[in-house]
Amino acid sequence: MTSATVTLSSEADVNLTPAEAFERFGRRDDAGWMFRARCHRVAPGYAVAIDLPGGCDAQVLGRLRVVLPGREIVIEQDQPWRGQLRIKFERTGAAQTRVRFRAQVPSEGIEWLARHRGASLPSPAPTGARRIGLLTSKSGSGAVYSMAAEYMAQLAVEQVNTSGGVDHRPVDLLIADDSTDHLQARRETIRLIEAGCQAIFACVTSASFAAATEAAEAHDVLMVHPVINEGGMEARKVIRFGERPEAQMSALSRIVERETGGNRWFLVGQQYSWSFGAHRAAAKILDASGSRVVAQRFTPLGTREFAPIIDSIRASGADVVMSSLVGADEVAFQQQAHEAGLRDLANHVSLVMDECTLEHVGPAAGNGIWTALNYFQSVTSPGNSELLHAYREHFGPWAPPLSSLSTNVYEAIRQYLELAALHPDATPSQLAADWRTRKSDRDSVGQRNMATQRLYLARAEEDVIRVLDEVVA
């Protein structure tokens, strides 16, 4: 791709003063307003989701960088490409305003838009580098939780290349978007393989990972799923790390039952393998502890309306609600549960409440949502402050927060490339076998033993995740 850019622009006249038009930006009770902007506070640093105009069929996720009330909003965007967009409010009459939207789309955005519309683009030419791929969710429901994954993959590769690469060769990183859709995951996996990727790291749902591994089965490529998952599917050239729901629920059920006395659980999930596995694990652990599952509901990935499920929860008499929803679905559920007053009726547990998801949930987290993951930005483990410093130095103060998912991607790529440097001629199967049996006592964030997960119990509260305790999974 060249370094060319294009401009997306749109404008509309509204019968409001600039101040009134500005006031309506981001309000969830006014979702039909221009660009369907969603943010819980219009102030610098706060997360925002906004639809691109002009028939792009794409949602931007990012952060508010500049806020000039009644005049201008500047958004620093992270998904589905990195860039900046501006919204200006210009008075055209006594009570009339022209709202102007303008965004410069860089080459990576042009490529994403082309692929999103079905174009078949050539892969980068071979360079002699060792090539790896990142399959992530730059769009769709999963874009919320995967925002920093691409940045952390880039940081890992850059650090390795700065140190000399692998076997005196630089490392190339290719990025693919599964759009949180398993069929697209299959197509993009094939594209990465055809481009010469020797390993593919997937920050995607289990449904997408299953489709990706099936597409890769006949090829000599290592498939790595480093993020939270239900387990299973491992094979000679397939390896999965990340948190497991058994360990999460074992830790969470104890603290929730001890602190709140709740023992009647309602489980909410999605209709694919992650939630099915998580709910089976939850039912087994709760039954052993004397608690019980009073009901559970599964909804399609991409659900945005949860009123029927919330009504079922209210009618069930449950005093604890456990969610295995992910990404934008989890955001919508937690916001609607809060608005329906469900926070006052039941305690809430979320298996995938990371920093990126929480910043979109916002005040709807209410008096707290219990969670347990293997990393939070606020942990005091060795190496965390250094990793955060390196991340901010590379990507700036407006980049999305780090989370369990993005740090797992970073660590997986670093460890794979270390093994590849030690055994440059090893096959994917041999590298996977070495990785599984690798022994390490390193406990520094960024260098942890991925096969031995530690969990942190925490409470998500509006705009912060408070770490309460550490447990060995």
Side-chain angles (χ1 to χ4, degrees), residues 47-65:
V48 61
I50 184 169
D51 291 354
L52 285 174
C56 289
D57 186 28
Q59 183 183 82
V60 161
L61 298 179
R63 238 145 244 87
L64 298 172
R65 179 169 185 169

Side-chain angles (χ1 to χ4, degrees), residues 147-169:
M147 283 196 293
E150 181 175 347
Y151 294 165
M152 290 300 281
Q154 291 171 350
L155 179 61
V157 169
E158 182 176 326
Q159 289 175 339
V160 169
N161 283 338
T162 300
S163 300
V166 173
D167 194 28
H168 307 294
R169 297 163 59 200

Side-chain angles (χ1 to χ4, degrees), residues 62 72 117 144 238 331 337 394:
E72 184 177 27
R117 292 171 175 173
V144 167
V238 180
V331 171
H394 278 73

Side-chain angles (χ1 to χ4, degrees), residues 273-454:
S273 55
W274 154 247
S275 284
F276 297 152
H279 290 204
R280 284 194 298 270
K284 179 179 179 180
I285 289 165
L286 294 172
D287 182 65
S289 71
S291 294
R292 70 187 185 95
V293 176
V294 297
Q296 59 181 319
R297 295 289 184 274
F298 296 97
T299 188
L301 188 63
T303 297
R304 294 295 177 269
E305 177 53 61
F306 287 91
I309 289 177
I310 290 171
D311 289 343
S312 296
I313 295 171
R314 193 187 301 276
S316 72
D319 49 25
V320 185
V321 177
M322 186 277 275
S323 168
S324 62
L325 301 169
V326 300
D329 299 38
E330 174 70 336
V331 171
F333 171 71
Q334 296 295 349
Q335 288 177 336
Q336 291 168 38
H338 172 71
E339 291 164 0
L342 210 58
R343 292 272 184 270
D344 299 326
L345 300 178
N347 297 284
H348 285 252
V349 170
S350 173
L351 297 187
V352 196
M353 182 55 64
D354 66 323
E355 288 86 345
C356 291
T357 302
L358 177 63
E359 69 175 4
H360 285 271
V361 172
N367 59 357
I369 300 171
W370 302 91
T371 189
L373 293 166
N374 70 13
Y375 173 86
F376 295 104
Q377 275 199 153
S378 59
V379 299
T380 57
S381 297
N384 190 41
S385 60
E386 291 83 356
L387 183 63
L388 285 168
H389 175 76
Y391 177 66
R392 293 297 168 195
E393 186 176 52
H394 278 73
F395 302 108
W398 304 103
L402 294 188
S403 69
S404 163
L405 292 97
S406 55
T407 54
N408 279 0
V409 168
Y410 170 83
E411 290 180 306
I413 291 176
R414 286 296 306 262
Q415 291 184 26
Y416 164 79
L417 293 175
E418 286 177 12
L419 283 170
L422 290 172
H423 310 288
D425 297 323
T427 66
S429 297
Q430 290 168 336
L431 286 174
D434 287 346
W435 206 347
R436 289 191 184 95
T437 59
R438 192 183 196 197
K439 302 295 183 183
S440 173
D441 57 1
R442 294 182 295 182
D443 199 33
S444 178
V445 173
Q447 303 177 41
R448 299 173 297 178
N449 188 333
M450 301 195 72
T452 305
Q453 295 286 339
R454 291 181 179 272

Side-chain angles (χ1 to χ4, degrees), residues 79-81 112-113 115-116 134-140 142-143 146 150 174-181 183-189 191-192 203-204 208:
Q79 298 283 37
W81 61 82
W112 183 90
L113 285 168
R115 292 191 190 282
H116 190 65
L134 174 69
L135 180 66
T136 187
S137 298
K138 295 167 71 68
S139 57
S146 63
E150 181 175 347
L174 301 187
I175 309 294
D177 175 23
D178 81 324
S179 302
T180 324
D181 175 80
L183 297 177
Q184 180 69 1
R186 180 182 180 86
R187 289 190 289 268
E188 288 295 276
T189 298
R191 180 173 71 83
L192 291 175
C203 183
V204 295
S208 281

Side-chain angles (χ1 to χ4, degrees), residues 133-136 200-205 208-209 212 223-227 409:
L134 174 69
L135 180 66
T136 187
I200 296 174
F201 299 81
C203 183
V204 295
T205 67
S208 281
F209 187 69
M223 299 296 298
V224 185
H225 200 200
V227 299
V409 168

